[in-house]
């Protein structure tokens, strides 16, 4: 299916740089890049945004990424990653908008992340949701994992 338009972040003057700046700020808070990648992929899966994983002989992407949808039963994810993924699902799915990230989900994540990191994680989830929804709504091509 062809894209409906060029990516809006490129069409709307001045839109791309603030999004990239926020991504950079989030990356400097101490949340491991691998955790941010896991969250980005899980949120994208929920939103219907498809990533392809090309052959990676150099090992530039985490081999656990294709297993992230099954994070609840896969033993390769540590507790901090599991709680970040649980938060990602809770915020993305918004099954209960009044309590989309329950106190229980929040408290479990807070055991592993500082307030700054937890704030960055929530902003990362929101930003990934924004990118996904823009890309899905405008039918952008599937993306290759970097």
């Amino acid at each position: 299916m062809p894209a409906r338009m060029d990516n809006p972040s490129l069409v709307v003057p001045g839109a791309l740089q603030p999004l990239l700046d926020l991504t950079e700020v989030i990356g400097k808070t101490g949340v491991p890049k691998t955790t941010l990648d896991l969250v980005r992929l899980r949120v994208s899966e929920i939103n219907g945004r498809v990533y392809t994983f090309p052959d990676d002989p150099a090992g530039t992407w985490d081999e656990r990424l294709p297993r992230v949808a099954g994070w609840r039963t896969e033993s390769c994810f540590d507790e901090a990653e599991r709680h970040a993924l649980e938060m990602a699902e809770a915020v993305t799915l918004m099954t209960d908008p009044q309590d989309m990230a329950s106190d229980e989900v929040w408290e479990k994540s807070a055991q592993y992340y500082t307030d700054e990191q937890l704030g960055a994680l929530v902003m990362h989830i929101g930003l990934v949701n924004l990118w996904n929804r823009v890309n899905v709504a405008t039918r952008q091509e599937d993306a290759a994992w970097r």
Side-chain angles (χ1 to χ4, degrees):
M1 197 174 317
R4 291 179 166 149
M5 64 182 298
D6 289 339
N7 193 296
S9 66
L10 302 173
V11 172
V12 176
L16 180 59
Q17 195 57 54
L19 299 172
L20 296 176
D21 291 346
L22 181 55
T23 300
E24 183 179 347
V25 167
I26 290 167
K28 292 179 180 178
T29 61
V31 177
K33 180 185 173 304
T34 54
T35 301
L36 295 174
D37 284 347
L38 294 170
V39 165
R40 177 166 54 111
L41 182 58
R42 184 64 192 128
V43 169
S44 298
E45 289 172 342
I46 292 168
N47 288 324
R49 181 71 172 141
V50 176
Y51 281 99
T52 57
F53 292 94
D55 290 336
D56 188 28
T60 57
W61 53 268
D62 189 327
E63 69 282 350
R64 300 174 306 155
L65 288 170
R67 298 164 66 185
V68 77
W71 68 268
R72 292 181 193 283
T73 58
E74 294 282 350
S75 61
C76 59
F77 302 105
D78 67 29
E79 287 301 306
E81 292 167 337
R82 289 178 185 285
H83 294 303
L85 289 164
E86 183 177 30
M87 178 72 75
E89 287 185 358
V91 172
T92 300
L93 292 170
M94 292 183 23
T95 52
D96 180 1
Q98 299 301 315
D99 194 19
M100 65 179 157
S102 69
D103 288 343
E104 179 183 0
V105 168
W106 190 269
E107 289 165 9
K108 285 192 252 181
S109 292
Q111 292 176 30
Y112 295 92
Y113 301 100
T114 66
D115 282 351
E116 179 182 339
Q117 292 170 331
L118 200 49
L121 187 57
V122 170
M123 290 193 315
H124 180 64
I125 294 164
L127 185 58
V128 173
N129 274 296
L130 169 69
W131 282 111
N132 289 167
R133 286 171 168 93
V134 166
N135 288 327
V136 170
T138 59
R139 296 185 180 150
Q140 299 301 305
E141 292 183 27
D142 295 348
W145 193 261
R146 60 168 132 64

